[in-house]
PDB file of all heavy atoms in Angstrom:
ATOM      1  N   TYR J 397       6.174 -17.020 -21.937  1.00  0.00           N
ATOM      2  CA  TYR J 397       5.760 -15.631 -21.705  1.00  0.00           C
ATOM      3  C   TYR J 397       4.979 -15.583 -20.398  1.00  0.00           C
ATOM      4  O   TYR J 397       3.924 -16.116 -20.246  1.00  0.00           O
ATOM      5  CB  TYR J 397       4.945 -15.047 -22.822  1.00  0.00           C
ATOM      6  CG  TYR J 397       4.530 -13.626 -22.663  1.00  0.00           C
ATOM      7  CD1 TYR J 397       5.455 -12.617 -22.377  1.00  0.00           C
ATOM      8  CD2 TYR J 397       3.170 -13.249 -22.738  1.00  0.00           C
ATOM      9  CE1 TYR J 397       5.068 -11.305 -22.170  1.00  0.00           C
ATOM     10  CE2 TYR J 397       2.757 -11.967 -22.568  1.00  0.00           C
ATOM     11  CZ  TYR J 397       3.728 -10.958 -22.277  1.00  0.00           C
ATOM     12  OH  TYR J 397       3.297  -9.718 -22.015  1.00  0.00           O
ATOM     13  N   PHE J 556      10.978  -4.453 -17.167  1.00  0.00           N
ATOM     14  CA  PHE J 556      10.187  -5.368 -18.136  1.00  0.00           C
ATOM     15  C   PHE J 556      11.097  -6.233 -18.992  1.00  0.00           C
ATOM     16  O   PHE J 556      10.700  -7.273 -19.511  1.00  0.00           O
ATOM     17  CB  PHE J 556       9.321  -4.509 -19.090  1.00  0.00           C
ATOM     18  CG  PHE J 556       8.044  -4.009 -18.421  1.00  0.00           C
ATOM     19  CD1 PHE J 556       8.026  -2.809 -17.627  1.00  0.00           C
ATOM     20  CD2 PHE J 556       6.864  -4.696 -18.590  1.00  0.00           C
ATOM     21  CE1 PHE J 556       6.896  -2.433 -17.040  1.00  0.00           C
ATOM     22  CE2 PHE J 556       5.702  -4.265 -17.965  1.00  0.00           C
ATOM     23  CZ  PHE J 556       5.735  -3.149 -17.279  1.00  0.00           C
ATOM     24  N   ILE J 557      12.411  -5.775 -19.164  1.00  0.00           N
ATOM     25  CA  ILE J 557      13.225  -6.450 -20.178  1.00  0.00           C
ATOM     26  C   ILE J 557      13.392  -7.902 -19.961  1.00  0.00           C
ATOM     27  O   ILE J 557      13.280  -8.631 -20.943  1.00  0.00           O
ATOM     28  CB  ILE J 557      14.648  -5.726 -20.203  1.00  0.00           C
ATOM     29  CG1 ILE J 557      14.429  -4.312 -20.766  1.00  0.00           C
ATOM     30  CG2 ILE J 557      15.628  -6.461 -20.981  1.00  0.00           C
ATOM     31  CD1 ILE J 557      15.714  -3.502 -20.845  1.00  0.00           C
ATOM     32  N   PHE J 559      11.464 -10.063 -18.897  1.00  0.00           N
ATOM     33  CA  PHE J 559      10.270 -10.805 -19.106  1.00  0.00           C
ATOM     34  C   PHE J 559       9.686 -10.601 -20.474  1.00  0.00           C
ATOM     35  O   PHE J 559       8.770 -11.424 -20.877  1.00  0.00           O
ATOM     36  CB  PHE J 559       9.194 -10.382 -18.094  1.00  0.00           C
ATOM     37  CG  PHE J 559       9.814 -10.462 -16.710  1.00  0.00           C
ATOM     38  CD1 PHE J 559      10.081  -9.242 -15.979  1.00  0.00           C
ATOM     39  CD2 PHE J 559      10.022 -11.656 -16.031  1.00  0.00           C
ATOM     40  CE1 PHE J 559      10.659  -9.374 -14.673  1.00  0.00           C
ATOM     41  CE2 PHE J 559      10.557 -11.754 -14.755  1.00  0.00           C
ATOM     42  CZ  PHE J 559      10.922 -10.570 -14.087  1.00  0.00           C
ATOM     43  N   VAL J 560      10.144  -9.563 -21.236  1.00  0.00           N
ATOM     44  CA  VAL J 560       9.604  -9.329 -22.589  1.00  0.00           C
ATOM     45  C   VAL J 560      10.532  -9.831 -23.571  1.00  0.00           C
ATOM     46  O   VAL J 560      10.163 -10.033 -24.733  1.00  0.00           O
ATOM     47  CB  VAL J 560       9.366  -7.795 -22.716  1.00  0.00           C
ATOM     48  CG1 VAL J 560       9.009  -7.446 -24.138  1.00  0.00           C
ATOM     49  CG2 VAL J 560       8.332  -7.260 -21.681  1.00  0.00           C
ATOM     50  N   LEU J 561      11.847  -9.958 -23.267  1.00  0.00           N
ATOM     51  CA  LEU J 561      12.878 -10.452 -24.151  1.00  0.00           C
ATOM     52  C   LEU J 561      12.392 -11.677 -24.827  1.00  0.00           C
ATOM     53  O   LEU J 561      12.052 -12.628 -24.145  1.00  0.00           O
ATOM     54  CB  LEU J 561      14.125 -10.633 -23.416  1.00  0.00           C
ATOM     55  CG  LEU J 561      15.458 -10.552 -24.293  1.00  0.00           C
ATOM     56  CD1 LEU J 561      15.605  -9.125 -24.845  1.00  0.00           C
ATOM     57  CD2 LEU J 561      16.618 -10.959 -23.447  1.00  0.00           C
ATOM     58  N   ASN J 562      12.421 -11.768 -26.155  1.00  0.00           N
ATOM     59  CA  ASN J 562      11.967 -12.881 -26.966  1.00  0.00           C
ATOM     60  C   ASN J 562      10.449 -13.090 -26.935  1.00  0.00           C
ATOM     61  O   ASN J 562       9.934 -14.135 -27.440  1.00  0.00           O
ATOM     62  CB  ASN J 562      12.664 -14.186 -26.512  1.00  0.00           C
ATOM     63  CG  ASN J 562      14.186 -14.103 -26.607  1.00  0.00           C
ATOM     64  OD1 ASN J 562      14.723 -13.574 -27.531  1.00  0.00           O
ATOM     65  ND2 ASN J 562      14.859 -14.683 -25.586  1.00  0.00           N
ATOM     66  N   HIS J 563       9.737 -12.191 -26.322  1.00  0.00           N
ATOM     67  CA  HIS J 563       8.262 -12.332 -26.276  1.00  0.00           C
ATOM     68  C   HIS J 563       7.580 -10.970 -26.602  1.00  0.00           C
ATOM     69  O   HIS J 563       6.511 -10.772 -26.105  1.00  0.00           O
ATOM     70  CB  HIS J 563       7.813 -12.840 -24.871  1.00  0.00           C
ATOM     71  CG  HIS J 563       8.402 -14.061 -24.404  1.00  0.00           C
ATOM     72  ND1 HIS J 563       7.948 -15.304 -25.014  1.00  0.00           N
ATOM     73  CD2 HIS J 563       9.370 -14.399 -23.599  1.00  0.00           C
ATOM     74  CE1 HIS J 563       8.745 -16.307 -24.406  1.00  0.00           C
ATOM     75  NE2 HIS J 563       9.522 -15.801 -23.577  1.00  0.00           N
ATOM     76  N   PHE J 564       8.245 -10.232 -27.402  1.00  0.00           N
ATOM     77  CA  PHE J 564       7.686  -8.811 -27.597  1.00  0.00           C
ATOM     78  C   PHE J 564       6.340  -8.803 -28.261  1.00  0.00           C
ATOM     79  O   PHE J 564       5.420  -8.006 -27.845  1.00  0.00           O
ATOM     80  CB  PHE J 564       8.728  -7.962 -28.340  1.00  0.00           C
ATOM     81  CG  PHE J 564       8.344  -6.547 -28.470  1.00  0.00           C
ATOM     82  CD1 PHE J 564       8.424  -5.711 -27.328  1.00  0.00           C
ATOM     83  CD2 PHE J 564       7.914  -5.952 -29.607  1.00  0.00           C
ATOM     84  CE1 PHE J 564       8.059  -4.396 -27.306  1.00  0.00           C
ATOM     85  CE2 PHE J 564       7.542  -4.604 -29.589  1.00  0.00           C
ATOM     86  CZ  PHE J 564       7.648  -3.835 -28.513  1.00  0.00           C
ATOM     87  N   SER J 565       6.166  -9.680 -29.253  1.00  0.00           N
ATOM     88  CA  SER J 565       4.852  -9.672 -29.955  1.00  0.00           C
ATOM     89  C   SER J 565       3.682 -10.145 -29.009  1.00  0.00           C
ATOM     90  O   SER J 565       2.640  -9.559 -29.007  1.00  0.00           O
ATOM     91  CB  SER J 565       4.882 -10.631 -31.109  1.00  0.00           C
ATOM     92  OG  SER J 565       5.242 -11.939 -30.725  1.00  0.00           O
ATOM     93  N   ALA J 566       4.040 -11.048 -28.072  1.00  0.00           N
ATOM     94  CA  ALA J 566       3.028 -11.537 -27.104  1.00  0.00           C
ATOM     95  C   ALA J 566       2.771 -10.372 -26.142  1.00  0.00           C
ATOM     96  O   ALA J 566       1.629 -10.186 -25.656  1.00  0.00           O
ATOM     97  CB  ALA J 566       3.619 -12.695 -26.397  1.00  0.00           C
ATOM     98  N   PHE J 567       3.857  -9.590 -25.743  1.00  0.00           N
ATOM     99  CA  PHE J 567       3.715  -8.507 -24.827  1.00  0.00           C
ATOM    100  C   PHE J 567       2.705  -7.414 -25.349  1.00  0.00           C
ATOM    101  O   PHE J 567       1.949  -6.814 -24.648  1.00  0.00           O
ATOM    102  CB  PHE J 567       5.056  -7.916 -24.589  1.00  0.00           C
ATOM    103  CG  PHE J 567       4.994  -6.637 -23.689  1.00  0.00           C
ATOM    104  CD1 PHE J 567       4.817  -6.706 -22.357  1.00  0.00           C
ATOM    105  CD2 PHE J 567       5.173  -5.410 -24.293  1.00  0.00           C
ATOM    106  CE1 PHE J 567       4.762  -5.554 -21.589  1.00  0.00           C
ATOM    107  CE2 PHE J 567       5.112  -4.256 -23.549  1.00  0.00           C
ATOM    108  CZ  PHE J 567       4.861  -4.346 -22.116  1.00  0.00           C
ATOM    109  N   LEU J 568       2.786  -7.170 -26.698  1.00  0.00           N
ATOM    110  CA  LEU J 568       1.843  -6.191 -27.256  1.00  0.00           C
ATOM    111  C   LEU J 568       0.459  -6.624 -27.176  1.00  0.00           C
ATOM    112  O   LEU J 568      -0.481  -5.773 -27.169  1.00  0.00           O
ATOM    113  CB  LEU J 568       2.314  -5.958 -28.705  1.00  0.00           C
ATOM    114  CG  LEU J 568       3.687  -5.314 -28.990  1.00  0.00           C
ATOM    115  CD1 LEU J 568       3.947  -5.156 -30.468  1.00  0.00           C
ATOM    116  CD2 LEU J 568       3.769  -3.960 -28.231  1.00  0.00           C
ATOM    117  N   GLU J 569       0.221  -7.946 -27.166  1.00  0.00           N
ATOM    118  CA  GLU J 569      -1.164  -8.453 -27.110  1.00  0.00           C
ATOM    119  C   GLU J 569      -1.663  -8.602 -25.688  1.00  0.00           C
ATOM    120  O   GLU J 569      -2.846  -8.358 -25.365  1.00  0.00           O
ATOM    121  CB  GLU J 569      -1.224  -9.770 -27.811  1.00  0.00           C
ATOM    122  CG  GLU J 569      -0.948  -9.737 -29.287  1.00  0.00           C
ATOM    123  CD  GLU J 569      -0.996 -11.061 -29.945  1.00  0.00           C
ATOM    124  OE1 GLU J 569      -1.400 -12.105 -29.289  1.00  0.00           O
ATOM    125  OE2 GLU J 569      -0.502 -11.205 -31.156  1.00  0.00           O
ATOM    126  N   VAL J 570      -0.787  -9.008 -24.755  1.00  0.00           N
ATOM    127  CA  VAL J 570      -1.179  -9.238 -23.386  1.00  0.00           C
ATOM    128  C   VAL J 570      -0.101  -8.636 -22.535  1.00  0.00           C
ATOM    129  O   VAL J 570       0.985  -9.128 -22.569  1.00  0.00           O
ATOM    130  CB  VAL J 570      -1.393 -10.738 -23.058  1.00  0.00           C
ATOM    131  CG1 VAL J 570      -1.798 -10.913 -21.593  1.00  0.00           C
ATOM    132  CG2 VAL J 570      -2.361 -11.426 -23.986  1.00  0.00           C
ATOM    133  N   ASN J 571      -0.432  -7.717 -21.746  1.00  0.00           N
ATOM    134  CA  ASN J 571       0.516  -7.060 -20.799  1.00  0.00           C
ATOM    135  C   ASN J 571      -0.258  -6.489 -19.575  1.00  0.00           C
ATOM    136  O   ASN J 571      -1.453  -6.467 -19.602  1.00  0.00           O
ATOM    137  CB  ASN J 571       1.273  -5.944 -21.577  1.00  0.00           C
ATOM    138  CG  ASN J 571       0.386  -4.822 -22.099  1.00  0.00           C
ATOM    139  OD1 ASN J 571      -0.315  -4.169 -21.320  1.00  0.00           O
ATOM    140  ND2 ASN J 571       0.370  -4.780 -23.421  1.00  0.00           N
TER     141      ASN J 571
END
Side-chain angles (χ1 to χ4, degrees):
Y397 179 54
F556 282 84
I557 290 179
F559 309 106
V560 175
L561 205 62
N562 301 322
H563 301 287
F564 189 68
S565 58
F567 174 77
L568 295 177
E569 296 178 10
V570 182
N571 58 65

